[in-house]
C-alpha cells in the first residue's frame, strides 16, 4: 500500500479536523487531535477555533476548570493540553525522557541536586499540591523539606518532571503569567516503572497515529522525543494492530486500521493556524505541512513557531493580529479567490479574539519587525 506526499497531507488534515470544522464538544475535540501545544496560553483556543464548528471559548474555560482537559509538561518537553483520560498513559510513556532530561540535566547537578534527592522530595511535594499551590509556595515547600535554598533552575526541573497539572489562574486564556499547580489525579503515573513506561509509550504512539498518522518511526520519535529504540520497541508491541504503508522515497509508515485517509484531491480550505500548532511540529518530515523553502520563516532560530496561513493544506504565509484586523504575509502570490476566503476567516478570527485579547500574539511582533520575505502583505479587516 503506497501513499503519496499529498495523500499524507490530507490524512493529517482530516484527523486534525482541518478539512472542515466538526460539530464536536471540546473534550472530544482534544481527544480527537491528541494534544494541543499550550506553552502560549491563547494557542489552544485558536487551535480549537480552527477545528470546532461554533467553538465557544467558555467551553474550554470550563473543561480546564473541571480538569476534563489538563495542561502539563509532556511530549517534546513542552506544555501540552490533553484529555485527562489520556494523561496517565502519556505521562508514563514520557517518563524516561522527562526523567533523563530534567533530573539528569547538568544544571540540576551543578545546583547540588541528584535524581535521588528529587525522588525523596517528590512524595511530600505531591501531597502538599493536592490542592492548588502557587509556584512560590511549592518552591518554599521544597526548601523547607530540603533544609536549604532551592535554586530557580532546580524548581523548574522538578516541576517539569513531577506529575503536576497547571491549575487555571484566570482570563483571558485560563493560564496567565502567574502559575499555579495541582497534583495529577490518582492513580498517579508509575514514576520510574519501566514496564509501565513501555506500555504507556505504546498507548501514546497508537493515539499519535490516530491523530497524525500514517507516520514513520522517525515521526513518532520527533513527536515524543523518546529515543528511537524505545519507539521501535513500542511499535513492536502494537504491530499486530497496525498497518504498514509505503510513503515517499520508500519510507515505511505505520497506521491504525480504518483511520481516515481521504483522497489527495479533497479540497482543503484556508486556515489561520495557532502559534506552535501541533501539525507543524508533529513530524520529522515537516514537509507534510510546511514546504521546505518556508520552514526557516515559520520556525524561528529560538524555536518560536509563528502563526501560519494554510492554503490548500500547506503553509503559504504567516499572520498576526494588528489594530485594524489581521495582517497576512503570503510567501507566494495567492489568487483573488484565496484572498477572499482568507478575509472571511480573518473577520471571524478577529471577532473571536476581540472578546478575549485581540493582540494575543503581540509579544512576538519583533519577528515581523526584523522582516519576513513576503510576496504580498495585506491587512484583512476585522469583524
Amino acid at each position: 500500500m503506497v501513499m503519496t506526499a499529498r495523500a499524507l497531507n490530507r490524512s493529517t488534515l482530516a484527523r486534525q479536523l482541518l478539512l472542515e470544522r466538526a460539530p464536536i464538544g471540546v473534550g472530544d475535540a482534544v481527544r480527537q487531535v491528541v494534544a494541543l501545544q499550550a506553552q502560549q496560553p491563547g494557542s489552544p483556543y485558536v487551535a480549537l477555533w480552527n477545528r470546532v464548528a461554533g467553538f465557544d471559548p467558555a467551553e474550554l474555560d470550563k473543561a480546564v476548570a473541571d480538569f476534563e482537559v489538563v495542561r502539563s509538561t509532556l511530549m517534546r518537553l513542552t506544555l501540552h493540553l490533553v484529555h485527562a483520560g489520556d494523561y496517565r498513559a502519556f505521562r508514563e510513556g514520557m517518563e524516561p525522557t522527562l526523567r533523563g532530561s530534567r533530573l539528569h540535566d547538568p544544571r540540576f547537578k551543578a545546583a547540588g541536586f541528584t535524581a535521588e534527592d528529587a525522588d525523596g522530595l517528590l512524595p511530600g511535594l505531591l501531597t502538599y499540591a493536592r490542592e492548588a499551590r502557587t509556584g512560590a509556595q511549592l518552591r518554599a515547600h521544597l526548601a523547607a523539606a530540603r533544609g536549604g535554598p532551592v535554586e530557580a533552575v532546580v524548581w523548574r526541573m522538578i516541576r517539569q518532571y513531577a506529575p503536576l497539572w497547571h491549575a487555571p489562574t484566570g482570563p483571558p486564556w485560563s493560564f496567565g503569567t502567574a502559575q499555579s499547580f495541582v497534583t495529577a489525579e490518582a492513580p498517579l503515573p508509575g514514576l520510574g516503572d519501566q514496564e509501565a513506561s513501555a506500555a504507556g509509550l505504546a498507548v501514546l504512539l497508537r493515539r499519535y497515529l490516530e491523530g497524525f498518522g500514517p507516520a514513520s518511526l522517525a515521526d513518532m520519535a520527533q513527536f515524543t522525543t523518546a529515543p528511537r529504540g524505545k519507539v521501535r520497541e513500542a511499535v513492536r508491541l502494537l504491530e499486530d494492530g497496525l498497518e504498514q504503508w509505503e510513503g515517499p522515497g520508500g519510507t515505511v509508515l505505520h497506521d491504525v486500521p480504518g483511520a481516515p485517509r481521504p483522497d489527495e484531491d479533497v479540497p482543503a480550505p484556508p486556515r489561520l493556524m495557532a502559534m506552535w500548532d501541533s501539525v507543524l511540529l508533529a513530524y520529522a518530515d515537516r514537509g507534510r505541512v510546511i514546504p521546505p523553502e518556508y520552514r526557516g520563516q515559520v520556525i524561528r532560530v529560538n524555536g518560536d513557531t509563528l502563526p501560519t496561513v494554510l492554503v490548500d493544506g500547506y503553509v503559504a504565509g504567516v499572520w498576526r493580529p494588528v489594530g485594524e484586523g489581521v495582517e497576512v504575509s503570503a510567501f507566494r502570490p495567492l489568487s483573488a479567490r484565496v484572498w477572499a476566503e482568507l478575509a472571511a476567516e480573518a473577520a471571524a478570527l478577529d471577532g473571536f479574539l476581540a472578546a478575549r485579547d485581540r493582540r494575543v500574539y503581540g509579544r512576538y511582533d519583533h519577528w515581523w519587525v526584523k522582516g519576513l520575505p513576503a510576496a504580498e502583505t495585506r491587512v484583512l479587516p476585522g469583524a
Side-chain angles (χ1 to χ4, degrees):
M1 297 186 288
V2 179
M3 290 201 74
T4 65
R6 188 172 173 85
L8 289 175
N9 171 271
R10 291 313 195 248
S11 291
T12 294
L13 298 181
R15 298 181 202 195
Q16 287 291 305
L17 307 178
L18 292 169
L19 288 180
E20 58 180 337
R21 290 179 170 93
I24 189 173
V26 162
D28 288 339
V30 173
R31 191 182 285 274
Q32 166 72 31
V33 302
V34 184
L36 295 170
Q37 292 264 151
Q39 62 266 54
Q40 209 291 334
S43 280
Y45 288 80
V46 179
L48 290 177
W49 174 84
N50 273 291
R51 291 164 165 87
V52 175
F55 173 61
D56 180 355
E59 292 185 14
L60 182 53
D61 295 341
K62 185 177 187 305
V64 166
D66 293 344
F67 294 102
E68 178 187 4
V69 298
V70 297
R71 185 187 195 223
S72 190
T73 300
L74 287 167
M75 290 72 72
R76 297 188 300 286
L77 311 177
T78 62
L79 289 170
H80 283 81
L81 203 68
V82 302
H83 194 280
D86 282 328
Y87 174 79
R88 180 189 173 106
F90 288 10
R91 178 60 182 77
E92 287 178 338
M94 289 303 303
E95 162 69 15
T97 300
L98 287 167
R99 185 177 182 85
S101 66
R102 304 297 83 175
L103 302 191
H104 293 281
D105 186 288
R107 293 168 294 176
F108 193 75
K109 294 181 180 180
F113 272 74
T114 66
E116 291 71 26
D117 292 332
D119 291 337
L121 292 168
L122 270 176
L125 181 75
L126 296 176
T127 298
Y128 180 62
R130 284 178 181 163
E131 61 180 74
R133 309 284 187 180
T134 67
Q137 288 174 322
L138 291 174
R139 184 176 171 185
H141 177 87
L142 283 175
R146 172 77 167 175
V150 172
E151 292 185 20
V153 67
V154 171
W155 161 235
R156 184 168 70 252
M157 297 296 176
I158 288 179
R159 80 166 186 257
Q160 291 174 353
Y161 170 69
L164 294 169
W165 293 343
H166 287 231
T169 54
W173 308 114
S174 289
F175 304 101
T177 53
Q179 290 189 324
S180 181
F181 304 87
V182 65
T183 299
E185 291 180 0
L188 291 173
L191 302 182
D193 184 331
Q194 293 186 4
E195 186 174 341
S197 295
L201 184 59
V203 171
L204 171 56
L205 293 181
R206 183 178 178 86
R207 293 282 291 111
Y208 167 74
L209 292 174
E210 289 171 355
F212 293 94
S216 67
L217 291 176
D219 292 328
M220 294 182 234
Q222 170 65 33
F223 178 75
T224 57
T225 57
R228 187 78 64 91
K230 290 188 179 297
V231 168
R232 189 175 292 109
E233 291 170 11
V235 169
R236 285 198 195 102
L237 292 177
L238 296 170
E239 268 183 344
D240 290 343
L242 298 181
E243 297 176 344
Q244 278 196 12
W245 293 74
E246 181 182 327
T251 302
V252 175
L253 303 172
H254 303 270
D255 204 7
V256 291
R261 286 183 286 268
D263 187 85
E264 65 179 32
D265 294 325
V266 169
R271 288 287 185 262
L272 299 170
M273 302 292 284
M275 197 165 184
W276 282 290
D277 196 281
S278 294
V279 298
L280 306 177
L281 301 170
Y283 303 100
D285 179 6
R286 292 175 179 172
R288 185 180 295 214
V289 178
I290 309 175
E293 62 268 29
Y294 302 151
R295 178 170 173 170
Q297 306 309 321
V298 171
I299 302 175
R300 309 304 293 184
V301 291
N302 69 341
D304 282 354
T305 302
L306 302 186
T308 55
V309 178
L310 293 191
V311 174
D312 189 32
Y314 293 91
V315 169
V318 294
W319 67 271
R320 62 170 173 162
V322 293
E324 303 82 7
V326 174
E327 180 183 280
V328 171
S329 297
F331 297 149
R332 60 178 174 82
L334 303 178
S335 70
R337 177 185 60 80
V338 169
W339 278 115
E341 292 172 339
L342 285 172
E345 286 288 297
L349 176 59
D350 180 74
F352 169 74
L353 294 176
R356 296 275 172 139
D357 177 11
R358 183 173 262 128
R359 297 282 291 142
V360 58
Y361 297 134
R363 64 175 291 192
Y364 302 99
D365 278 350
H366 59 277
W367 293 120
W368 279 261
V369 172
K370 292 175 182 177
L372 292 167
E376 184 177 6
T377 297
R378 296 188 187 184
V379 175
L380 304 177

